[in-house]
Amino acid sequence: MNILLAASDSNVFGILSSIFGRPDTLTQPSDLLKHLEQLSIVWSTIFLAAGLMCMLNGYRYYKIITIVLALGIGACMGYYLGGKVDKSYIVAACLAALLAVACWPLMKYAVAIVGGLVGAFLGANAWSAILATVQNTARPDPSQQTYWVGALIGLLVCGMLAFILFKLSVVLFTSVSGATIALFGALSLLLQIPAWRSDIIQSLHDNAMVLPLLVVVPAIIGLIFQQSQSSSSGGGAPAPNKAPKPA
């Protein structure tokens, strides 16, 4: 009962807005773990289960996943913007509904946008992690906000990929987004265990490459798994709005 009550106290929109407020959040482990500790066990379990499903089988349900991601992006953006006018939940609900409904008739463009955002997230974290490794520091200097270079490259590459190789784009963004969500859920659950909490925090602070690797490696596994599954079934995610062949 206490666990269920804790779920209602966890402001998931505020937490996610804070986490993704900086694109290279994986290279800022102290801030990330501080936010993940605020997630309830229920939300953490939901994130872990949904992330694994998206990572390993997202190509089958890419339309639903795209709409859900658009819903979440709209809710987090609306919550942040609504906080400026003290109407967080109203703006969050309106913007989430607008983006989710707009995705359905514009699915191919929605996949390109979501794929581009996932690419920007991946590029920003890769750029910051490599920069910190080259400078031999445990984490990148927050004052040197050069992550936008990697974010821009990832945005352009993954965004254009949806118009060239649609199926690969779907598998890529579902694998990366699923691995990220699953990692957040798993870390939040592990941080609930007092005996492991300090060791986890200390190990993640040692190197800026740790958290990005914990996303990239499962994402690659998910990408390979989804590609093999779609090839063996002889199908996969079909391109939307495909015109019928003339008689």
Side-chain angles (χ1 to χ4, degrees):
M1 180 62 70
N2 290 335
I3 294 177
L4 294 177
L5 291 175
S8 61
D9 296 333
S10 179
N11 189 348
V12 67
F13 298 127
I15 294 172
L16 292 179
S17 298
S18 300
I19 288 175
F20 292 107
R22 184 180 173 105
D24 62 340
T25 186
L26 296 177
T27 60
Q28 306 292 329
S30 58
D31 297 333
L32 176 60
L33 296 178
K34 185 190 306 180
H35 297 310
L36 291 179
E37 283 183 306
Q38 301 174 24
L39 277 177
S40 69
I41 295 178
V42 173
W43 277 114
S44 302
T45 306
I46 292 173
F47 282 5
L48 178 59
L52 290 175
M53 189 279 294
C54 182
M55 182 181 73
L56 297 175
N57 210 19
Y59 76 100
R60 292 183 180 273
Y61 312 104
Y62 80 96
K63 290 185 178 181
I64 297 175
I65 291 173
T66 302
I67 293 174
V68 170
L69 287 176
L71 191 71
I73 292 171
C76 291
M77 289 178 56
Y79 184 87
Y80 173 78
L81 296 174
K84 306 295 184 182
V85 294
D86 198 25
K87 299 292 182 183
S88 299
Y89 290 104
I90 295 177
V91 178
C94 293
L95 192 56
L98 177 63
L99 292 184
V101 172
C103 276
W104 187 256
L106 303 171
M107 183 56 64
K108 187 170 185 177
Y109 300 99
V111 169
I113 293 173
V114 174
L117 291 177
V118 170
F121 173 77
L122 201 60
N125 284 281
W127 184 274
S128 295
I130 294 172
L131 185 64
T133 302
V134 171
Q135 295 176 347
N136 198 23
T137 57
R139 56 183 290 186
D141 186 357
S143 63
Q144 299 180 356
Q145 297 187 5
T146 59
Y147 58 81
W148 62 268
V149 179
L152 182 60
I153 295 173
L155 176 68
L156 293 176
V157 171
C158 294
M160 293 300 297
L161 190 64
F163 298 101
I164 303 171
L165 298 171
F166 183 80
K167 179 182 174 181
L168 179 60
S169 175
V170 169
V171 173
L172 179 63
F173 93 74
T174 54
S175 299
V176 174
S177 58
T180 304
I181 296 171
L183 174 66
F184 289 171
L187 284 178
S188 181
L189 287 173
L190 291 174
L191 289 172
Q192 306 291 334
I193 304 174
W196 296 357
R197 181 179 177 277
S198 59
D199 292 336
I200 292 172
I201 293 175
Q202 183 60 38
S203 62
L204 293 179
H205 279 206
D206 291 340
N207 196 308
M209 292 291 291
V210 175
L211 281 174
L213 281 176
L214 289 177
V215 168
V216 170
V217 173
I220 293 175
I221 295 173
L223 190 149
I224 295 172
F225 182 81
Q226 291 194 65
Q227 281 288 92
S228 62
Q229 287 289 101
S230 61
S231 298
S232 62
S233 62
N241 302 328
K242 184 176 180 180
K245 294 181 179 180

